[in-house]
Amino acid sequence: VGTVFTTSAFFASYYNSLNNINMNKVLEDKLNTQMSTKKKITKPSDDPVIAIRALRLRGNVTEVTQYYKKNIPDANSWLEVTEGALKKTSDIITNMIGQVTKGANGDQPSDVREIILEQLKALRNEVYSTADVDYAGRYVFAGYRTDTSISFIAAEKKEYTITEQLDTSAMDDVTYIKTTATNAAGDTVDINDINSTNYNNIEVSENDITASTVHRIRLSYDNLSDGMVPALTRVTGKDADGNITTEEIVPAANVETVSYHASPSAYELVAQNPDKVYFIPETGEMLLGDNVYRTMSAYKDDATTATVNEGEIRITYQKNEWLKGDLRPEHYFACTSTDDNGVTTDYNQEYLDGSDVEKQVIEYDVGFNQTIRVNTTADEVFKPGIGRETDDLVRALEDVQSLEKVVSNLDTMVKSETDETRKATLQKRLDAANKALTLSKDKMQKMFESGLTAMQGYLDANNLAITQCGTRGSKLELIENRMKDQKTTFETLQSENEDIDIEEATIQMKGAQLTYTASLMAASKILQTNLLSYPVSYTHLRAHETCADLV
């Protein structure tokens, strides 16, 4: 029995030594793994608390990195592209103002006016081409339609039915200079067309040249379709279902389309018909009779109805042919396009429901629950009025240039004429042409003066957009600095939670190696006497089993 218990003690000591050696080996392996990975744990079961905290911190670091490395730089690039385009636009409009200021001087020689004319045309086109700047293939001023340019890239035939929403501020006055004369037979001639072959047909004198004021609404486009008579309506309120209600301002029968080149002119007809409206498709003008003008001038918004603007005037018309550089109406108005297959597409119909429509704002997530707007929409800066105002100024300049040539030609004819009767007739016409030229110069000067005010307004709107863009950039810079600090903080917390202390781990590793080596050496000393050194026979082993059973 004594031998059996000695054998049991031997086995217990043997397995206990192996277990201790194995534990030391496991500890050394764990520390060795930490040294290799530089991490405290390799699987969640190593330390669930560290694992859970690591998941949270890694999520925070990933999110901050997304903001700091991707979203913020992308937003900043968008803002830089936008600001660059706006500054270029500011320079263009400033140049336009300079040309308009020169044009306001009615005493400019003809060659200077010719330069002004060409400069205005070029600058007008340059403004809208700047609107088509893009960032990474996305048009920055197009709102949500980043795949659609602001203006037509090439000439195109496509039918659009456009509804402009205006108010009484859209009405203005334009001077009309009558340069035609009519004989007893009803034949009419324009003084600009008089030449050596037809000037004897009709007598023209200073009394035939008159100036009058015409009320109008200038639409956002010219060269419009003359097949559809524009509809003029006004907002009257909302029905029981909350839908906008409208009514005709004038009956459709009182809206007449007249060509710009027709005789008598629409400008003359509107003075004779105070209850009618004349539409000139070539110039995109709606000429208002005096009674119509007075009626529309009385439209005011009722302050007690917050969701309805009773002062809103709506004009619906069509345009089928577009030139390169024309603004695409879907970025500005409620409209419907029809393609060659008859398929219609509606745009911005929510503009017509009377509610405050949120702009197509593009925002970037740049922080925790923090966004920033990066886009400026085309209707804030690249307004159709810039081009239309320029068109008016160009037309006024061209009229003066044309009359100057007429005056020069007639003056030459008067000086070269030897027949006194014919000379007297020519002199009357020269006097009439000079009167028309004087009136045209006066009209041009007034238009350039009002154009100067309008252009300054467009420049102010552009500068406001630049300021807003700069403010967003400054805000983004502050957010970027904060995200940088947060990124550093989260990375530090993540490192403290997951990463080992190299110095401490190195010491522990050395200690574990020494412990493991010492345990091996101790075990080898203790277990030098192995089971074979004992004279244990089969009988002893059976006795051991018996005793063990007894125990």
Side-chain angles (χ1 to χ4, degrees):
V1 174
T3 303
V4 170
F5 281 115
T6 301
T7 305
S8 297
F10 166 78
F11 279 111
S13 175
Y14 177 77
Y15 287 117
N16 188 50
S17 297
L18 289 179
N19 185 55
N20 289 335
I21 291 172
N22 187 58
M23 290 177 61
N24 288 331
K25 181 59 177 176
V26 169
L27 176 60
E28 183 182 7
D29 289 341
K30 177 182 177 181
L31 293 172
N32 187 51
T33 300
Q34 288 181 349
M35 290 290 292
S36 300
T37 62
K38 302 297 188 296
K39 300 295 180 182
K40 293 178 181 178
I41 62 174
T42 56
K43 55 184 181 296
S45 59
D46 291 344
D47 192 323
V49 175
I50 291 178
I52 293 172
R53 192 182 295 124
L55 290 175
R56 292 174 180 173
L57 291 174
R58 285 185 182 185
N60 290 334
V61 170
T62 300
E63 192 172 357
V64 172
T65 301
Q66 174 69 30
Y67 296 142
Y68 183 69
K69 293 290 187 180
K70 297 182 180 179
N71 292 22
I72 290 178
D74 196 21
N76 189 57
S77 297
W78 189 295
L79 287 172
E80 287 178 351
V81 171
T82 301
E83 187 174 9
L86 292 175
K87 287 181 177 178
K88 182 179 179 181
T89 304
S90 180
D91 292 339
I92 295 171
I93 297 177
T94 300
N95 288 338
M96 295 179 79
I97 290 174
Q99 297 300 321
V100 173
T101 302
K102 291 180 184 178
N105 182 1
D107 295 329
Q108 292 282 11
S110 179
D111 58 339
V112 174
R113 282 198 295 272
E114 188 66 33
I115 294 173
I116 294 172
L117 182 64
E118 296 303 320
Q119 285 289 321
L120 286 176
K121 289 180 179 178
L123 291 171
R124 177 198 186 282
N125 296 332
E126 187 64 22
V127 167
Y128 294 139
S129 65
T130 304
D132 285 324
V133 66
D134 68 282
Y135 168 65
R138 296 175 291 172
Y139 294 101
V140 300
F141 295 106
Y144 297 154
R145 302 183 185 93
T146 56
D147 60 341
T148 306
S149 61
I150 302 301
S151 63
F152 284 90
I153 304 301
E156 184 176 337
K157 287 188 177 182
K158 188 174 185 180
E159 180 182 298
Y160 278 85
T161 300
I162 303 166
T163 299
E164 288 198 39
Q165 296 167 265
L166 309 169
D167 55 30
T168 55
S169 65
M171 298 188 296
D172 66 352
D173 293 336
V174 62
T175 300
Y176 168 65
I177 300 172
K178 180 177 176 292
T179 60
T180 60
T182 306
N183 63 12
D187 298 323
T188 302
V189 68
D190 193 307
I191 196 171
N192 290 284
D193 299 329
I194 293 177
N195 54 53
S196 60
T197 62
N198 69 10
Y199 69 81
N200 285 324
N201 295 333
I202 303 173
E203 289 291 337
V204 182
S205 66
E206 287 186 76
N207 293 333
D208 295 313
I209 308 302
T210 59
S212 59
T213 300
V214 178
H215 310 300
R216 70 168 182 176
I217 292 178
R218 184 182 61 196
L219 301 175
S220 294
Y221 298 99
D222 58 7
N223 297 317
L224 303 176
S225 305
D226 57 6
M228 172 188 177
V229 177
L232 279 78
T233 58
R234 61 166 296 215
V235 173
T236 57
K238 285 188 175 182
D239 60 20
D241 296 326
N243 299 316
I244 288 290
T245 57
T246 61
E247 66 178 12
E248 285 185 331
I249 297 174
V250 291
N254 282 358
V255 181
E256 186 175 337
T257 300
V258 178
S259 172
Y260 181 73
H261 305 288
S263 180
S265 166
Y267 300 95
E268 297 176 66
L269 293 173
V270 75
Q272 303 165 12
N273 298 278
D275 294 320
K276 296 190 72 171
V277 174
Y278 290 88
F279 168 54
I280 307 177
E282 292 92 337
T283 62
E285 292 175 294
M286 304 287 292
L287 306 185
L288 310 175
D290 285 341
N291 292 341
V292 177
Y293 175 76
R294 280 193 289 270
T295 299
M296 294 176 65
S297 297
Y299 295 157
K300 305 294 181 184
D301 182 23
D302 186 352
T304 62
T305 55
T307 60
V308 181
N309 179 10
E310 290 83 0
E312 182 179 303
I313 299 167
R314 297 181 177 183
I315 303 179
T316 303
Y317 57 93
Q318 283 185 349
K319 182 173 174 63
N320 297 337
E321 295 187 3
W322 304 87
L323 299 176
K324 177 182 178 181
D326 283 344
L327 295 175
R328 303 186 71 99
E330 57 261 44
H331 295 301
Y332 296 89
F333 309 110
C335 59
T336 301
S337 69
T338 305
D339 62 18
D340 295 337
N341 298 319
V343 177
T344 61
T345 304
D346 292 331
Y347 300 98
N348 310 318
Q349 296 303 307
E350 65 275 10
Y351 291 2
L352 304 177
D353 65 8
S355 60
D356 291 332
V357 179
E358 183 180 353
K359 284 185 173 291
Q360 295 182 358
V361 173
I362 297 177
E363 294 181 329
Y364 272 65
D365 288 325
V366 292
F368 296 102
N369 298 320
Q370 193 167 20
T371 62
I372 190 168
R373 178 182 175 180
V374 298
N375 74 319
T376 301
T377 53
D379 62 336
E380 294 179 79
V381 180
F382 303 98
K383 302 178 183 293
I386 298 176
R388 301 296 281 128
E389 195 72 38
T390 306
D391 291 341
D392 276 352
L393 299 178
V394 167
R395 194 176 298 115
L397 272 171
E398 290 176 337
D399 288 344
V400 170
Q401 296 288 85
S402 176
L403 284 168
E404 281 185 333
K405 292 178 181 178
V406 171
V407 168
S408 177
N409 290 337
L410 286 172
D411 185 59
T412 301
M413 293 169 68
V414 168
K415 291 178 180 178
S416 62
E417 184 59 62
T418 57
D419 184 280
E420 291 301 323
T421 302
R422 290 167 57 86
K423 189 170 186 176
T425 301
L426 285 172
Q427 185 61 50
K428 284 184 180 180
R429 291 168 183 171
L430 177 58
D431 293 340
N434 275 317
K435 180 181 179 181
L437 178 59
T438 299
L439 292 173
S440 292
K441 284 185 176 181
D442 182 62
K443 172 186 176 180
M444 180 191 71
Q445 186 173 2
K446 290 179 180 178
M447 291 192 72
F448 270 81
E449 287 173 354
S450 63
L452 186 61
T453 302
M455 289 298 179
Q456 187 60 53
Y458 297 133
L459 180 61
D460 291 342
N462 186 81
N463 289 338
L464 175 61
I466 292 176
T467 301
Q468 292 173 337
C469 193
T471 301
R472 293 165 190 158
S474 298
K475 180 182 177 181
L476 185 62
E477 184 178 358
L478 293 174
I479 295 173
E480 182 180 18
N481 291 334
R482 184 162 61 251
M483 286 297 103
K484 181 179 180 181
D485 292 341
Q486 288 185 348
K487 183 173 182 292
T488 301
T489 299
F490 283 129
E491 286 177 342
T492 300
L493 292 173
Q494 180 186 10
S495 178
E496 290 176 351
N497 180 65
E498 298 181 28
D499 298 343
I500 62 172
D501 186 326
I502 297 297
E503 290 81 3
E504 181 180 352
T506 301
I507 294 173
Q508 290 179 349
M509 180 66 179
K510 291 295 184 182
Q513 288 176 341
L514 290 173
T515 303
Y516 178 61
T517 302
S519 64
L520 288 176
M521 293 177 62
S524 65
K525 295 292 186 181
I526 295 172
L527 299 177
Q528 281 183 357
T529 305
N530 53 40
L531 187 60
L532 298 177
S533 300
Y534 288 86
V536 182
S537 65
Y538 176 77
T539 303
H540 290 149
L541 289 175
R542 294 298 301 166
H544 163 66
E545 291 176 359
T546 302
C547 292
D549 291 338
L550 292 174
V551 175

